[in-house]
Amino acid sequence: GENVEQHPSTLSVQEGDSAVIKCTYSDSASNYFPWYKQELGKRPQLIIDIRSNVGEKKDQRIAVTLNKTAKHFSLHITETQPEDSAVYFCAASTGDTGRRALTFGSGTRLQVQP
Amino acid sequence: NAGVTQTPKFRVLKTGQSMTLLCAQDMNHEYMYWYRQDPGMGLRLIHYSVGEGTTAKGEVPDGYNVSRLKKQNFLLGLESAAPSQTSVYFCASSYGRLAGGPDTQYFGPGTRLTVL
């Protein structure tokens, strides 16, 4: 089955700096890659996703890049703010109609220091 | 429109007890999922359903059973709870379009279960 590895496990940045979180996946059939943000005690919330037919997607301060050849994708957060502090999860899915379940990475705890 | 809801929010069980977690969605989604979240391990799929009356096993199904008698509800059962099932359980749902690839999964607020 799919295996998703995520690095780093913790990341501390100064407010205003950029943060980058990287994930690799094993199943070349995976074609959907969402990123979720989870605040303490809350549910995971989708912040951005990318499908395999594009290499990059941006939404204000957040961007995701995908390299299908190398089987890795990354989350980029620019101009970080204290409210960006949370745990971020990457995930991958093959998107076949029989399942469409997500395989998650182990998470990155991002701390933005004011 | 409440989205995805879960009951209960918290529960403490003794080893060997049974319980059922309820997930409900009001978005007319076809697909529903149960995940468990353990520290440092992300979320892992327990069981899923691609429509009313259908269920299937995920990555970590042992010790759990599920039922999807109504499209809007997905129940997760623990017949004989064990301390290893102490976790936070999240339900999720998605529209499940037949074409166009996967779609967004929406998560419930979670159930924190402790088995003593």
Side-chain angles (χ1 to χ4, degrees):
Chain A
E2 175 69 278
N3 182 49
V4 177
E5 295 192 355
Q6 183 172 347
H7 300 281
S9 57
T10 60
L11 180 59
S12 182
V13 300
Q14 291 294 124
E15 183 177 357
D17 287 351
S18 296
V20 180
I21 302 171
K22 299 181 178 181
C23 289
T24 60
Y25 61 98
S26 61
D27 189 346
S28 57
S30 289
N31 58 4
Y32 175 61
F33 308 93
W35 285 88
Y36 284 83
K37 176 183 180 181
Q38 186 177 31
E39 296 175 347
L40 189 63
K42 300 288 183 63
R43 74 189 79 190
Q45 300 268 21
L46 180 74
I47 55 172
I48 196 167
D49 58 12
I50 191 168
R51 300 179 192 276
S52 59
N53 56 346
V54 298
E56 184 174 359
K57 183 177 179 180
K58 191 172 182 180
D59 182 4
Q60 298 183 356
R61 296 186 297 109
I62 294 173
V64 57
T65 59
L66 172 65
N67 183 328
K68 285 213 73 177
T69 302
K71 290 191 281 187
H72 67 71
F73 56 112
S74 301
L75 177 72
H76 304 254
I77 306 174
T78 59
E79 300 173 21
T80 54
Q81 301 167 4
E83 51 265 38
D84 294 329
S85 295
V87 179
Y88 292 81
F89 292 96
C90 62
S93 172
T94 59
D96 58 277
T97 55
R99 180 170 164 171
R100 296 188 178 179
L102 297 171
T103 300
F104 285 84
S106 54
T108 296
R109 183 174 301 278
L110 173 65
Q111 289 184 311
V112 180
Q113 308 290 343
Chain B
N1 190 337
V4 182
T5 58
Q6 292 182 233
T7 52
K9 290 185 170 57
F10 303 94
R11 185 72 186 267
V12 178
L13 291 178
K14 294 181 179 178
T15 297
Q17 288 185 318
S18 63
M19 76 163 295
T20 300
L21 283 68
L22 171 64
C23 176
Q25 53 92 7
D26 60 3
M27 298 177 281
N28 200 34
H29 284 173
E30 289 292 338
Y31 284 51
M32 297 187 74
Y33 311 85
W34 277 106
Y35 295 91
R36 61 176 287 173
Q37 183 174 35
D38 301 297
M41 297 184 72
L43 291 91
R44 293 180 292 167
L45 182 68
I46 305 171
H47 286 280
Y48 64 99
S49 168
V50 301
E52 181 179 322
T54 71
T55 63
K57 295 179 180 179
E59 301 171 51
V60 288
D62 293 344
Y64 306 96
N65 57 75
V66 288
S67 64
R68 183 105 181 263
L69 299 179
K70 295 182 179 180
K71 184 177 183 179
Q72 64 268 33
N73 296 336
F74 195 27
L75 279 64
L76 178 70
L78 286 74
E79 291 185 346
S80 180
S84 60
Q85 295 177 303
T86 294
S87 188
V88 180
Y89 292 85
F90 285 99
C91 175
S93 71
S94 65
Y95 183 67
R97 288 187 294 268
L98 292 179
D103 48 4
T104 302
Q105 289 191 21
Y106 297 90
F107 283 81
T111 295
R112 185 172 296 275
L113 175 66
T114 301
V115 182
L116 302 175

